[in-house]
Structure formats: C-alpha cells, structure tokens
Amino acid sequence: KQWYQRRVRGQYSPFPRYLKYSRAMPPKFDPNAVVYTCIRVVGGEVGASSSLAPKVGPLGLSPKKVGDDIAKATQDWKGLRITVKLKIQNRQATVSVVPTASSLLIKALNEPSRDRKKVKNISHSGNISFDDIIEIAKTMREKSMARELAGTVKEILGTARSVGCTVDGEAPQTMIERINAGDIIVPVA
C-alpha cells in the first residue's frame, strides 16, 4: 500500500520510530554535582549574555550575574582574549582564569590597553627578556606535553614568534636554534 493510504488510516506517523520514546523530560539536575565549563572571553568586559545563556542557563544560573563575576575576575587581563573556567556547584559559579601562552606573552609586553572596537589588527612588536620566557614556561608547564622545561621554553618561543615579538632583541627562531645547539642552557626546573 502507498504511504498516504496508511496515513489516512492512522498507521503512519510523521515522526520516525526512534523519536517516539524520546519526548520525555530530561532527568532533574542534581544541585550538588560539580560542573566545569570553559568559556573564552575578553578580559575586564561584561560578555554578551546571549553567549553565556546556553552554557549556564540549564544549570540554573543567571547569565548576567555570571558575566559580572567574569568581568570582576578578569580585570588584570583587560582587553585580552582569555579562557575562563567556571566551577558550578549549588547554583554558585566560581571563576578562575586559565592563561594561555599568547595571553601571557602579550601581558608581559606591558602594552597600553586599547579599545578593541576602534583599534584593529594590532602588531605586538615589543621585546621580552629570556627570564620572562622562562617564567611563562614555568606557568605553562602543567599544560605542556614536553618532557623537560627546555621543550616548554621552545613552545613559548614558537608562540612568541607567532605573536610577533622579539626575545632579548633577537628573533625567537634564532633563540630556539641556540637552545638546540646548546649555547643557551635552560634550567632544569
């Protein structure tokens, strides 16, 4: 028989079989459960509630209040794109900043704050000391896949190259080559 004949007699459903049983409500949210959410925001600014709402709305939090908490916690990183980790428990959000290598490098350049909407395509052509690179590498050590600190330092130098800054007046690529040759000795820890 044709599909339209079965539909007339009520034997045909416009919904597939696998959707028939999934119309029930999802299970109730446990308030004591700890939920972690990572969000990329601009430091020191209240983000758009429309971007926060899908992440924190189902957990029973107000996106506006969470946005204010994020802006308060990221005042040190004003104007920089930064990753923020939200720990949500008992309908309370705790904000912690998870720095990336590029944001740590740009912060170490000590550039003046700028208006993101007016100043576009900024080049970070400053100079950083090698000691700053080692401090950033120690901060990023737990996120790095390198076996030794020297490998993490090379990762940070590669990020410095992509950011566009120099290290002790030299290009980061030459610093990497000098570390590989053994001219520069990186401390063990």
Side-chain angles (χ1 to χ4, degrees):
K1 295 182 180 182
Q2 301 294 326
W3 66 271
Y4 50 83
Q5 289 175 331
R6 284 183 294 191
R7 187 171 182 187
V8 170
R9 284 187 242 151
Q11 297 171 353
Y12 178 77
S13 170
F15 298 103
R17 277 196 194 126
Y18 62 86
L19 284 179
K20 227 176 220 180
Y21 306 105
S22 64
R23 294 185 192 182
M25 290 287 288
K28 195 127 171 92
F29 176 69
D30 180 21
N32 294 326
V34 178
V35 179
Y36 291 97
T37 306
C38 288
I39 301 171
R40 196 124 161 94
V41 295
V42 178
E45 294 182 13
V46 179
S49 295
S50 59
S51 64
L52 285 173
K55 296 206 176 217
V56 299
L59 302 173
L61 293 167
S62 163
K64 188 174 185 313
K65 185 174 177 290
V66 172
D68 293 339
D69 291 346
I70 290 172
K72 208 179 297 173
T74 58
Q75 282 299 320
D76 297 342
W77 304 87
K78 205 162 180 67
L80 296 176
R81 294 272 295 164
I82 191 111
T83 308
V84 170
K85 189 175 188 181
L86 294 175
K87 177 185 173 188
I88 301 164
Q89 185 177 20
N90 291 333
R91 295 182 63 193
Q92 292 291 321
T94 311
V95 181
S96 60
V97 176
V98 181
T100 57
S102 58
S103 57
L104 285 168
L105 282 168
I106 293 169
K107 190 177 179 184
L109 284 170
N110 292 328
E111 292 178 340
S113 61
R114 61 187 175 91
D115 187 8
R116 285 186 319 116
K117 293 181 175 115
K118 292 179 183 164
V119 182
K120 301 278 186 188
N121 300 329
I122 190 164
S123 63
H124 306 284
S125 57
N127 189 30
I128 300 178
S129 69
F130 191 69
D131 295 333
D132 288 342
I133 294 285
I134 290 175
E135 286 303 313
I136 292 169
K138 286 179 181 175
T139 306
M140 298 297 294
R141 185 73 186 109
E142 67 266 3
K143 286 175 78 176
S144 173
M145 298 295 280
R147 272 186 269 167
E148 297 170 5
L149 185 64
T152 310
V153 168
K154 288 185 218 172
E155 288 177 7
I156 302 300
L157 285 168
T159 308
R161 180 182 179 188
S162 66
V163 165
C165 61
T166 57
V167 180
D168 287 337
E170 293 184 41
Q173 186 63 39
T174 59
M175 297 291 275
I176 291 173
E177 290 165 3
R178 285 174 58 190
I179 289 172
N180 288 340
D183 298 340
I184 298 175
I185 296 159
V186 178
V188 177

